Amino acid sequence: MNSYIKHNEWLIIEDGFDPENNLASESIFSLGNGQMGQRANFEEKYSGETLQGSYIAGVYYPDKTRVGWWKNGYPEYFAKVLNSTNWIGINVRIDDEELDLSRCSVFDFKRVLNMHEGYLERTFSAKLISGKIVRIRAKRFLSIVDTEIGVIRYSVTPENFNGSIIFEPYLDANVKNQDSNYNEKFWDEVSRHAGSGEGYVMVKTRKLDFHVCTGMRYLVEKNGGIQEPKPIVSDREKYVANSIDVQVKKGEKIVIYKYASSLSTQNYTLGNIMEKTAEVLNTAIGKGFDNLLKEHAKAWMEKWEESDIVIGGDIAAQQGIRFNIFQLNQTYTGTDERLNIGPKGFTGEKYGGSTYWDTEAYALPFYLNTAGAEVARNLLLYRYKHLGKAIENAAKLGFKDGAALYPMVTMNGEECHNEWEITFEEIHRNGAIAYAIFNYINHTGDNTYMTDWGLEVLIGISRFWSQRVNFSTNKNKYVILGVTGPNEYENNVNNNWYTNTIAVWTLEYTLEALNYVKNKTPDKYTRLLDKLNFDSEKETKHWKKIVQNMYLPYDSKQNIFLQQDGYMDKEQCIAEDLDPDIRPLNQHWSWDRILRSCFIKQADVLQGIYFFEERYDVETIRRNFEYYEARTVHESSLSACIHSVLAAKIGDIDKAYELFFRTARLDLDDYNKEVAEGLHITSMAGAWMAIVEGFGGMRVRKGKLHFNPLIPEQWKNYSFSIKFRERLLIINVTKNDVLIKNKSREGVPITVYGVEYELQGNDEKVFPRQ
């Protein structure tokens, strides 16, 4: 761990500058607004170690696959969200000395991310080689109201001299991704324009023809008055700049306001994108920094009213959960069904910024309960619109007749992951797509999703499962061979319990859905079967046979579900006995050694128990939890949250808190020693799950809300809000009681500690805590 972030309920604070922490801080202090994202790079030049990152949602590049040994079925590329034009840059020279924190003495440094109002602020003093001292204050944000606008206020105050300060606001599209497979740059220039007080650069991707136009305008303020400088205008390939020379006296503050906008041909035509960029900049400069920030802060306050979690008596936990919620709301807003949630969001390049099964298994519940049905539906529609590609993906691997295998990693529906044990074997991802449909409908009651879109997806997935199984005459059961379960520290195993379980559940759910659609909308049912060439009698008969005869491995000695065939042949060791110096294992052990060990990367059997908890009694959950958690090293960011929810379920509050805390502060305290690469956005939703589903005990069973709240010893109280079928509920838990408020006009049935109540509109009820 690396715990240098100061604890504060609403602020993320870095006090003092340590270059060793800079890459981590660039990730932690990142900004985003659902359309654009920006790592916390410095505005001024920095020659130290940095990962420049400016990102535009949905713009990606198919980077040619690079593997040592090509196998049939490999995708031809890995999709990557691109590092795009650097819009934040403002070079600063003081009497011919360049301001560079790597080459001067830095003191009184403080970097603050204000989560309540959604901005980043940085202050410091710098002593140059000449002995001159300047005081810097930089504040920036990406508007969540005007989502194509980024704004910076950057001030310089000379503290011990009179002289010249030269500002050079610029746009630089001569950038690359550090994770480029062949060290190539992905952008070509289309055009550029540098004028007095403004600049524009238009670039296009070398493949797929995405065009992005980035523009800037700026104002200079001295002693509170706007100046009319005569800049030196310069440009070169992919670069435009203005250079402004300002004469200053000791103590005079010079402020530059920089307004930037990046638009893409996802949303605009090539013929009008430059004009639209100029219009956006006119809007920005017309509103001005203060008004833009005021609108932005107000919008953030409204987000917090619906998604905040309040924890009393535990500042570290409070900061952690708010940081997680803040980053989730920065990453995805749900207004565009073409977009999804990358594991790193807008904070780094790892995983390509592409979509994984994390969205359905971890992120969906957060947005479903805090942002509402429409936002969650857009996440499902993203997958529906990729169904054709999922069928193509399955066909590449030899499946037929409309079988659909959703990709492990994607931007446009095509598989773009190129590790065989993932691409070909981690097929459980298909089950998460199906489960998300169930989860959405169960929460919202939106059965039209099933009739209009959901059933078609379920049929494609079920056709895949029905072809992926084979009948074992030895076991007299259907089996699934050669897979990787959620525990990626196992590859090419047979009969992973979770995979087999979710395959059977998907088939069962699809059979139910077929009957529902047939009865509710027979015309749609008939049209869909004709469209899919679906032989209902033949195919469903086969599915039912699989459901009734699937092999689910079980260990009778331990009385637990067996992670996969042969798991008990491994030497059984406990994770707590490992030397801390060799953790994480994936950074110290060979892959061969990891595969031969019993250690588990993340919830596997327990992932299935989490999904299908209602099927198992508490003692069954306890036995499996205690056995598998002891062998789990939690080296996936997605691990601790599931274990926390289940620990709360079996009443192990101390373990639930320990694992929640790890999830909530995974990045702030850098548990896995990799935050420099970017934040773990999708796992942040797991921290929300650990509180709401874990300690709050919230479940939706047969379309009805249930609560079974617990409270950790470390907390005085906690509260959270959820949206449920157009109702907004606030749940407050103390050591003694549970208060549930219905902030909506319509009543809602709720079950608390097993007893059902009707909570009327605009009413509240207190329940003794059990």
Side-chain angles (χ1 to χ4, degrees), residues 631-644:
R631 290 154 177 78
T632 301
V633 290
H634 300 295
E635 289 175 8
S636 164
S637 64
L638 301 172
S639 181
C641 61
I642 296 298
H643 289 84
S644 180

Side-chain angles (χ1 to χ4, degrees), residues 446-457:
D446 179 12
N447 289 299
T448 60
Y449 186 84
M450 181 64 79
T451 58
D452 292 348
W453 298 290
L455 178 58
E456 188 173 352
V457 172

Side-chain angles (χ1 to χ4, degrees), residues 153-378:
R153 182 172 66 195
Y154 192 97
S155 71
V156 180
T157 304
E159 296 197 336
N160 64 348
F161 69 95
N162 303 330
S164 167
I165 299 179
I166 298 175
F167 296 92
E168 187 182 66
Y170 65 86
L171 302 174
D172 184 8
N174 190 27
V175 296
K176 72 175 187 177
N177 280 46
Q178 286 192 2
D179 67 349
S180 169
N181 285 342
Y182 295 90
N183 201 34
E184 64 178 322
K185 294 183 177 179
F186 300 142
W187 297 102
D188 285 329
E189 182 184 283
V190 175
S191 63
R192 66 181 185 271
H193 164 73
S196 179
E198 65 179 17
Y200 298 87
V201 175
M202 188 185 300
V203 290
K204 69 174 182 177
T205 54
R206 291 181 175 177
K207 298 177 184 176
L208 302 184
D209 206 36
F210 286 109
H211 284 65
V212 173
C213 182
T214 303
M216 71 169 183
R217 292 184 64 184
Y218 65 89
L219 296 173
V220 178
E221 181 183 88
K222 180 179 179 181
N223 296 328
I226 298 298
Q227 304 297 292
E228 296 184 4
K230 296 180 180 180
I232 298 173
V233 176
S234 62
D235 69 289
R236 59 180 182 268
E237 185 181 6
K238 303 180 188 176
Y239 183 94
V240 296
N242 278 202
S243 183
I244 309 106
D245 191 340
V246 183
Q247 298 298 311
V248 294
K249 295 180 181 179
K250 176 183 175 181
E252 284 186 332
K253 181 167 70 174
I254 311 301
V255 183
I256 182 167
Y257 296 91
K258 184 177 182 181
Y259 303 87
S261 180
S262 288
L263 276 58
S264 81
T265 48
Q266 287 193 111
N267 303 311
Y268 297 93
T269 67
L270 188 56
N272 72 0
I273 190 171
M274 180 77 79
E275 177 186 349
K276 291 296 183 181
T277 304
E279 288 179 9
V280 171
L281 289 173
N282 286 337
T283 297
I285 209 162
K287 288 185 176 183
F289 183 92
D290 290 338
N291 286 330
L292 286 167
L293 180 57
K294 184 177 179 180
E295 292 175 352
H296 173 73
K298 181 181 178 183
W300 264 110
M301 290 174 67
E302 291 171 357
K303 278 188 178 291
W304 284 115
E305 286 177 2
E306 296 183 341
S307 60
D308 191 20
I309 290 179
V310 179
I311 298 173
D314 190 342
I315 292 178
Q318 178 68 88
Q319 182 186 48
I321 190 60
R322 280 187 173 141
F323 179 69
N324 285 243
I325 294 170
F326 177 74
Q327 293 294 346
L328 286 162
N329 281 327
Q330 285 200 129
T331 301
Y332 183 76
T333 60
T335 58
D336 189 338
E337 64 195 34
R338 297 171 299 174
L339 303 179
N340 208 280
I341 306 154
K344 296 295 183 187
F346 295 121
T347 70
E349 299 175 5
K350 191 174 181 182
Y351 304 122
S354 300
T355 300
Y356 286 62
W357 68 288
D358 307 16
T359 291
E360 286 74 23
Y362 299 88
L364 179 67
F366 170 80
Y367 295 103
L368 189 56
N369 287 283
T370 64
E374 184 178 352
V375 171
R377 175 187 270 223
N378 278 343

Side-chain angles (χ1 to χ4, degrees), residues 662-682:
R662 178 189 178 104
T663 302
R665 297 194 63 86
L666 180 75
D667 290 322
L668 289 178
D669 294 337
D670 201 7
Y671 272 80
N672 288 347
K673 303 176 184 178
E674 58 184 11
V675 74
E677 299 172 339
L679 304 178
H680 297 84
I681 299 298
T682 46

Side-chain angles (χ1 to χ4, degrees), residues 689-700:
M689 288 162 51
I691 291 180
V692 176
E693 297 181 6
F695 301 128
M698 191 201 84
R699 303 288 189 275
V700 179

